[in-house]
Amino acid sequence: MHKLTLWFNSFKKVYFFIFLIVSLVSNSYAKDDILESQPEIPFKYDKLKESQNRLKLQVDFNKAILMLEREEYQKSIDLFKETSSILKIPSFLNIGIAYYKMGQTQNALLYLNNIYNYKEASVTDTYSYISACFYLYQIEKDRDYLETIIEVTKKYKSLTEHSKRLLADTYIILKDYEKALDILNTMEFPMELKKAMLYLKLNDYVKAETHLSKAKNETFNREKRDLILWLMVFRDLKANEIDKLKEHIEELKKIKDDLKVNLEYPLEIFFNQNKYTANEYFKSITKFDFNRQIDFLFYFAPFIFSDYEEIMYDISKGFIFKNKQNVESLEQMVKFNADFIAIIQDDPIIRVDKMKALLRDNSNSYVFYNLALCYAQIDDFHNAYKYFTKAYKLNPGNKLYAAMMIISAQKIHVRIKDMDYVVLNIKSKEGMYNYFGQILYKFFVEPKYKVDFDPLNYKATIFYKAINFLYDMQENKLDINNSLFTEHYKDPLVYLMKLAFKREGENNFNYFSRVQDETPLKINNNFVDAPLVVTRYYIDLLKAIGLFYKADFTIASAESPSYLRTKALRELHEHKPEESLQILDALQKQYKLEDKYTMYLMVAAYLEAGKYNEASLQISLIKALLNDGSADFLTGVQLIQELKFSSSSQYFVRPYYDDFIDFKIVNFEELLESL
């Protein structure tokens, strides 16, 4: 009896020691420091034998895990070799991992392959088997190991927490972030930071914010909190949430002197070939945002010739039919019409140069209007606003001029000083182009405004049908029988929009397949060598259906500036930034382009070429010439990277939208895989 009591007391001490070690390991897990190598259960009490030697080996196994965690690799290997007599597969796994972390890959492969080649282990010790596959992939980069992990785990309806975590990591390496999240969301252990980063990869900034906030509240480690705050700033930038961004910048400012996370995970602007997902590209071409609505509008807007209405307006000012000068004015109008007919058939960029040559100090309002419209069609809205304003001031009774001035001002975020007076003119009963002026004012400025005039003979124009198209799109009333589709399907832009329009009763698979089959990839001159709004739409459509790199952008002997600019974009996508810059530099020298599209394309090319100083100078030039909000935003991003928090906030005034330039955290994927 006495011996039994002594044995029992001895056993309790040993058991307590083992329990203490297990608790330490478990606490380590609770603090996010758990090793991938830890077996699912360090030992099981029901397997505990009376043999003190066997008990000692099980204690040593747990000690070896702690040594592995402390990076005492050789000591852990020595112990694991001893414990392999009773825990062979888990011990071999940890030996392989220790050798891997020491850089001795051949030794690691020896032990890991020993597990991998023992197929029964996939059933008897599933976690160790798939963990061996995971590390074999890390060494040999053979995706078959990852596929093996997925195949093995498919056999089980329920997986342990360790197996789930390993499976999630496998999906992360395979870039299948949605499946990784599906696994993580079934786990008891929250792993908030990992989930947040996955949501960032999926552009779900709302859920990313939720999990980042939880991770921040649950973390007391200083370096990890700094990392989370850095990621929160990145999320705010991507989500365009300026108020939250400024709040988090203020938090960073308080810890600036000790901040190191920006060195390991720098914030960087870069050219993003596919800034949006396929679904986002689809949405952009089937439900226009504000910018595409404006581009669409100016594409269909009518050029104005010297017509009867303009002559009658001049009569009211007392100039026409009274002297020889007025006869000469009529002759100049006729000549303008003849010249203008030839000009509007030119390439949009060339058209601007030729229109500028027609300007005189005493030019009529429609000359300024037409030049403004030409600028709008090449995405130079600063000059468009300038000349729409001149046209309006020469003829304030022209409601179309007034509406175009307001819309171009909205595009570049300019405040019109005498806006109240302009609105009164638009709403007045007198004037010219009354219907168009008021209907555009209603759509872009005051939706509740009631238009006073009927369209009358304007109903026959493509501009009238284009405006109605925008209204139908806004109200979700578009159908395939829209008059723009049925009567003007030969127009390049209308052709593409009709192609991308989902037919009634068409399921997603048939819809996607049809668009892929019918989108021109070779006979595409009308889209590649075309006005900018058409080319942009074509490129976004190709990206939406995954065929951008299948399309042929080559047109033999084509030298038009619009085509060359498209060619520069394609060269950039083909990782040939120097060729792209060469084309853009030549266009700049010949045509002195100051449009936003071309200038940001140059920034993208500089970034892709690794010329960050030149890219920064180009951003500064855009800011100086265009006073552009996106240039301000990018300047703010650069200042954050340099930890100049006090001056960065002032540059975040408006949300950032640009097709080419994006920002990222360098080493983001590596961080995600390491968590």
Side-chain angles (χ1 to χ4, degrees), residues 567-666:
K567 184 179 178 182
L569 176 64
R570 182 54 188 246
E571 297 282 18
L572 190 53
H573 279 76
E574 296 285 356
H575 305 290
K576 301 175 183 176
E578 295 295 347
E579 287 87 340
S580 180
L581 284 169
Q582 188 176 357
I583 295 170
L584 294 171
D585 285 337
L587 288 174
Q588 286 280 44
K589 288 176 182 177
Q590 185 170 357
Y591 298 103
K592 297 179 174 58
L593 296 174
E594 294 180 354
D595 64 284
K596 184 175 177 179
Y597 181 86
T598 303
M599 296 184 81
Y600 274 105
L601 192 56
M602 292 189 75
V603 175
Y606 281 130
L607 290 172
E608 186 70 5
K611 299 180 178 180
Y612 300 109
N613 289 336
E614 289 88 340
S616 294
L617 289 173
Q618 182 72 6
I619 291 170
S620 299
L621 181 61
I622 295 171
K623 176 172 170 51
L625 289 176
L626 307 182
N627 192 26
D628 182 62
S630 293
D632 280 335
F633 201 101
L634 292 177
T635 301
V637 173
Q638 291 175 309
L639 290 172
I640 289 176
Q641 165 56 19
E642 296 167 8
L643 304 189
K644 296 178 180 178
F645 300 126
S646 297
S647 55
S648 64
S649 291
Q650 63 181 306
Y651 290 98
F652 299 112
V653 179
R654 290 187 295 272
Y656 172 78
Y657 301 102
D658 181 78
D659 293 340
F660 303 135
I661 316 302
D662 202 356
F663 20 87
K664 64 183 178 182
I665 287 182
V666 180

Side-chain angles (χ1 to χ4, degrees), residues 297-298 392 398-408 422 426 436-438 440-441 445:
L297 168 76
F298 283 118
Y392 169 73
N398 191 313
K399 292 180 172 56
L400 180 59
Y401 294 172
M404 293 302 206
M405 179 180 68
I406 292 173
I407 295 167
S408 58
V422 176
I426 289 176
F436 280 149
Q438 290 192 348
L440 292 177
Y441 174 79
V445 183

Side-chain angles (χ1 to χ4, degrees), residues 417-629:
K417 293 181 181 179
D418 54 348
M419 182 66 174
D420 291 341
Y421 177 73
V422 176
V423 172
L424 285 175
N425 279 345
I426 289 176
K427 293 181 177 181
S428 70
K429 301 295 183 181
E430 305 297 330
M432 302 163 58
Y433 293 93
N434 294 311
Y435 174 78
F436 280 149
Q438 290 192 348
I439 195 69
L440 292 177
Y441 174 79
K442 174 181 173 66
F443 187 87
F444 286 99
V445 183
E446 190 179 337
K448 294 183 179 180
Y449 175 69
K450 184 178 180 181
V451 177
D452 295 326
F453 296 90
D454 293 324
L456 302 175
N457 59 325
Y458 290 146
K459 281 188 175 182
T461 67
I462 192 172
F463 191 43
Y464 171 85
K465 294 165 189 172
I467 295 170
N468 279 352
F469 183 92
L470 287 179
Y471 270 103
D472 287 345
M473 178 181 282
Q474 190 177 61
E475 299 296 324
N476 294 318
K477 294 179 179 179
L478 271 182
D479 61 49
I480 198 63
N481 297 315
N482 185 277
S483 60
L484 201 62
F485 287 156
T486 58
E487 298 175 30
H488 300 281
Y489 58 88
K490 291 184 179 180
D491 176 90
L493 181 58
V494 176
Y495 177 87
L496 293 174
M497 292 191 304
K498 185 176 181 180
L499 173 66
F501 186 77
K502 190 174 184 179
R503 312 299 194 250
E504 186 175 352
E506 196 171 36
N507 63 42
N508 288 336
F509 176 79
N510 291 336
Y511 169 50
F512 191 81
S513 298
R514 176 183 59 78
V515 176
Q516 276 193 326
D517 292 341
E518 296 180 4
T519 299
L521 300 179
K522 293 186 180 297
I523 307 174
N524 54 4
N525 295 27
N526 287 331
F527 317 125
V528 175
D529 186 7
L532 183 57
V533 62
V534 179
T535 303
R536 272 178 161 173
Y537 192 97
Y538 180 60
I539 288 171
D540 287 351
L541 172 60
L542 291 173
K543 289 185 176 182
I545 59 178
L547 293 179
F548 178 82
Y549 293 99
K550 299 288 185 182
D552 186 358
F553 281 71
T554 303
I555 304 177
S557 304
E559 293 294 330
S560 71
S562 290
Y563 168 70
L564 291 175
R565 187 166 58 176
T566 304
K567 184 179 178 182
L569 176 64
R570 182 54 188 246
E571 297 282 18
L572 190 53
H573 279 76
E574 296 285 356
H575 305 290
K576 301 175 183 176
E578 295 295 347
E579 287 87 340
S580 180
L581 284 169
Q582 188 176 357
I583 295 170
L584 294 171
D585 285 337
L587 288 174
Q588 286 280 44
K589 288 176 182 177
Q590 185 170 357
Y591 298 103
K592 297 179 174 58
L593 296 174
E594 294 180 354
D595 64 284
K596 184 175 177 179
Y597 181 86
T598 303
M599 296 184 81
Y600 274 105
L601 192 56
M602 292 189 75
V603 175
Y606 281 130
L607 290 172
E608 186 70 5
K611 299 180 178 180
Y612 300 109
N613 289 336
E614 289 88 340
S616 294
L617 289 173
Q618 182 72 6
I619 291 170
S620 299
L621 181 61
I622 295 171
K623 176 172 170 51
L625 289 176
L626 307 182
N627 192 26
D628 182 62

Side-chain angles (χ1 to χ4, degrees), residues 2-51:
H2 180 67
K3 290 182 179 179
L4 181 63
T5 303
L6 288 175
W7 178 89
F8 184 72
N9 289 336
S10 175
F11 172 77
K12 283 199 298 180
K13 291 179 181 178
V14 172
Y15 178 74
F16 177 77
F17 177 67
I18 296 172
F19 179 79
L20 180 62
I21 293 175
V22 174
S23 298
L24 288 171
V25 175
S26 299
N27 288 337
S28 175
Y29 179 41
K31 294 177 182 176
D32 270 352
D33 294 324
I34 187 170
L35 290 171
E36 306 97 311
S37 59
Q38 183 186 332
E40 292 168 312
I41 304 174
F43 75 97
K44 293 182 180 179
Y45 175 72
D46 60 359
K47 288 186 178 181
L48 193 62
K49 305 297 181 182
E50 294 183 2
S51 168

Side-chain angles (χ1 to χ4, degrees), residues 251-352:
E251 288 189 56
L252 285 176
K253 191 191 298 185
K254 295 175 183 176
I255 59 174
K256 173 184 173 181
D257 293 340
D258 299 317
L259 200 62
K260 297 177 182 177
V261 66
N262 65 304
L263 300 176
E264 190 172 358
Y265 303 107
L267 189 61
E268 187 177 279
I269 60 173
F270 73 109
F271 166 58
N272 193 345
Q273 296 183 4
N274 294 289
K275 186 174 178 181
Y276 306 105
T277 64
N279 286 337
E280 287 171 327
Y281 280 116
F282 249 123
K283 184 178 179 181
S284 75
I285 60 177
T286 53
K287 186 73 172 179
F288 296 172
D289 62 12
F290 175 75
N291 288 312
R292 186 156 257 153
Q293 286 174 347
I294 290 180
D295 292 340
F296 175 90
L297 168 76
F298 283 118
Y299 174 72
F300 288 109
F303 288 105
I304 295 178
F305 292 85
S306 51
D307 59 12
Y308 179 74
E309 283 192 275
E310 288 287 347
I311 295 173
M312 293 306 294
Y313 180 77
D314 281 349
I315 287 176
S316 69
K317 293 166 66 177
F319 289 121
I320 299 299
F321 305 136
K322 290 189 178 180
N323 54 39
K324 183 179 178 181
Q325 182 182 355
N326 295 325
V327 175
E328 291 173 353
S329 296
L330 285 172
E331 290 174 349
Q332 289 174 5
M333 288 182 180
V334 173
K335 185 178 186 307
F336 172 81
N337 284 350
D339 292 339
F340 189 53
I341 287 173
I343 289 172
I344 61 175
Q345 297 178 61
D346 266 321
D347 180 272
I349 294 174
I350 296 174
R351 190 190 294 164
V352 169

